[in-house]
Amino acid sequence: MLNIIEKAVQEVHQNVSFDLSDWDLLTSQAPIVSVFHLKSTVDYYCSYYDGKNLSFIINENNEPVALLPLFIHDENGWTLSSNGEGLIGPLFKKDIPRKLKKRLEKEIFEIVELIAKESKSKKIRLFEPFSSISNWYLHWLEKADNHFLTYQLGIDLNKNLEEIRLDFRKSYKPLINKALREWKVEICEDDVDNVFDEFRLLHLEAAGKITRSEESWEIQKKQIKNNEAFLVTVRDKTVLIGAGLFNHSRDIGMYSVGAYRRDLFDKPIGHAVQMLAITKLKELGCKVYHLGQKAVLLHPIPPTKKEISISHFKEGFAGFTYAQPHLEVHLGS
């Protein structure tokens, strides 16, 4: 199916390439890059959802100028996505002319519609990850059948650490200090293979079941080795009692997954993990740290008790909350 879709696209758009070898070049030349625009992130979600990668690059005068992270996966029919939940906007090379960017946005819009037609997708969901609404999003808004908001939690990493700590929930500060005193909290920099396997097994123990493929774990391990992620570990002497994985681009950090000993659930292990992660993301030069979505009862899919609990924990660190817009576009029968 992939070959059929790629051929259909390239018959109409000769400047489109499904050869992704220039991906890293484009991200290095873009003005701001989200975690969702990294190739390894698409690889991870493609593995997680058992999808097929259809990301593409657009060339202008034989030079790569834009890319769209995209894969399709089966969700009661083929669904187009960047992260399993929605399609993110394209990434453009810095300082391309405004007129060219507008033309390329329109072309990428047409390519997505063509891919949707060829894969017989019934619906496209989209989301806007940045604070201002892009022309790409506004273009889809004209065709949308539904829109809604989610609320996202963030930390402004342009502040110094003392300013960031002022935004923490008051009860968190002594808990963080206590955790850093009692346990060994560090970034995993050596023996990544063995430490990551410890983390994966701790996650299995905490979850009580296998939640995703071995391949998806291997991709995350590779992200650490390629400096696109890091692992914060917490040890009681030599025993791993908690850990958190954080992905990051050049500009933005994101909390991905954590695992903590169930019998120590009431201990401030996660508090120590978050504090060290914030410090590390600042050292890396990231401007914003996205902790994740705030659980709200108004959401189309009401949150579970567990999601509400996790959200409450993250809110204790957040310096701000912002509304993220989403669209649903129905593509007909």
Side-chain angles (χ1 to χ4, degrees):
M1 184 180 70
L2 287 187
N3 290 339
I4 295 172
I5 293 174
E6 290 175 4
K7 184 179 179 182
V9 170
Q10 290 178 319
E11 282 179 354
V12 182
H13 304 273
Q14 288 80 25
N15 59 338
V16 171
S17 174
F18 292 95
D19 175 358
L20 305 178
S21 55
D22 286 325
W23 191 307
D24 290 343
L25 174 64
L26 265 171
T27 54
S28 70
Q29 295 176 338
I32 183 167
V33 181
S34 80
V35 172
F36 298 119
H37 284 111
L38 299 179
K39 183 177 182 300
S40 66
T41 302
V42 182
D43 289 339
Y44 168 77
Y45 284 117
C46 200
S47 173
Y48 187 93
Y49 289 96
D50 193 23
K52 302 179 186 299
N53 197 335
L54 270 173
S55 302
F56 59 86
I57 288 173
I58 291 191
N59 297 291
E60 184 76 14
N61 297 323
N62 295 317
E63 289 189 6
V65 292
L67 70 85
L68 185 73
L70 169 67
F71 72 97
I72 59 173
H73 62 105
D74 192 359
E75 188 184 283
N76 298 318
W78 289 110
T79 299
L80 279 61
S81 181
S82 296
N83 66 348
E85 297 183 9
L87 190 61
I88 199 171
L91 190 71
F92 293 95
K93 184 178 178 180
K94 186 178 181 181
D95 295 333
I96 67 169
R98 184 178 178 182
K99 189 174 180 180
L100 172 60
K101 183 178 179 182
K102 191 172 182 179
R103 172 168 66 79
L104 292 176
E105 282 178 326
K106 184 175 183 297
E107 183 174 8
I108 296 170
F109 178 87
E110 292 170 354
I111 294 167
V112 170
E113 284 198 314
L114 179 54
I115 292 174
K117 180 181 177 182
E118 291 293 326
S119 62
K120 296 181 172 58
S121 296
K122 304 296 185 186
K123 180 173 66 175
I124 299 178
R125 294 189 295 260
L126 303 101
F127 68 102
E128 181 62 70
F130 302 118
S131 56
S132 59
I133 303 297
S134 64
N135 288 331
W136 158 266
Y137 187 90
L138 292 174
H139 201 131
W140 284 103
L141 182 61
E142 296 298 317
K143 296 176 70 70
D145 299 278
N146 187 28
H147 69 108
F148 61 94
L149 298 174
T150 57
Y151 298 89
Q152 307 291 327
L153 304 168
I155 293 176
D156 180 1
L157 296 176
N158 292 308
K159 295 181 177 182
N160 63 46
L161 282 175
E162 285 307 309
E163 290 174 318
I164 289 172
R165 284 175 67 102
L166 287 174
D167 291 326
F168 291 175
R169 189 173 290 140
K170 187 176 179 180
S171 61
Y172 278 17
K173 296 168 188 176
L175 292 174
I176 291 168
N177 294 335
K178 173 180 168 56
L180 294 175
R181 281 196 311 268
E182 292 190 3
W183 298 310
K184 185 178 181 182
V185 187
E186 59 187 359
I187 307 291
C188 172
E189 295 178 336
D190 301 310
D191 199 17
V192 172
D193 288 316
N194 287 328
V195 175
F196 190 84
D197 284 345
E198 279 187 278
F199 170 54
R200 180 178 56 80
L201 291 172
L202 180 62
H203 186 275
L204 174 60
E205 179 185 331
K209 61 181 180 180
I210 295 174
T211 58
R212 52 187 169 90
S213 69
E214 184 72 27
E215 180 188 43
S216 70
W217 287 103
E218 287 299 317
I219 290 170
Q220 289 183 320
K221 186 194 297 184
K222 188 176 178 181
Q223 288 175 326
I224 295 173
K225 293 180 178 181
N226 290 342
N227 297 317
E228 293 178 329
F230 60 85
L231 184 67
V232 180
T233 60
V234 182
R235 294 183 184 275
D236 185 358
K237 297 178 181 175
T238 61
V239 178
L240 185 69
I241 59 173
L245 180 74
F246 300 81
N247 287 89
H248 62 88
S249 65
R250 178 193 63 209
D251 307 296
I252 296 170
M254 186 178 81
Y255 179 48
S256 297
V257 59
Y260 305 95
R261 279 259 300 268
R262 280 188 167 187
D263 58 320
L264 299 175
F265 183 74
D266 59 335
K267 305 296 182 183
I269 304 172
H271 299 71
V273 168
Q274 291 293 331
M275 188 67 244
L276 190 54
I278 292 165
T279 304
K280 177 65 175 178
L281 289 169
K282 276 191 64 65
E283 290 175 359
L284 289 167
C286 292
K287 303 172 183 66
V288 179
Y289 168 34
H290 293 294
L291 292 99
Q293 184 171 312
K294 173 179 169 62
V296 292
L297 297 178
L298 286 173
H299 192 270
I301 303 175
T304 63
K305 287 184 179 180
K306 181 179 179 181
E307 288 169 337
I308 292 171
S309 175
I310 293 171
S311 174
H312 178 74
F313 168 73
K314 292 177 180 178
E315 285 178 69
F317 289 95
F320 64 93
T321 303
Y322 68 98
Q324 183 175 85
H326 301 252
L327 296 175
E328 288 185 353
V329 181
H330 295 164
L331 302 170
S333 56

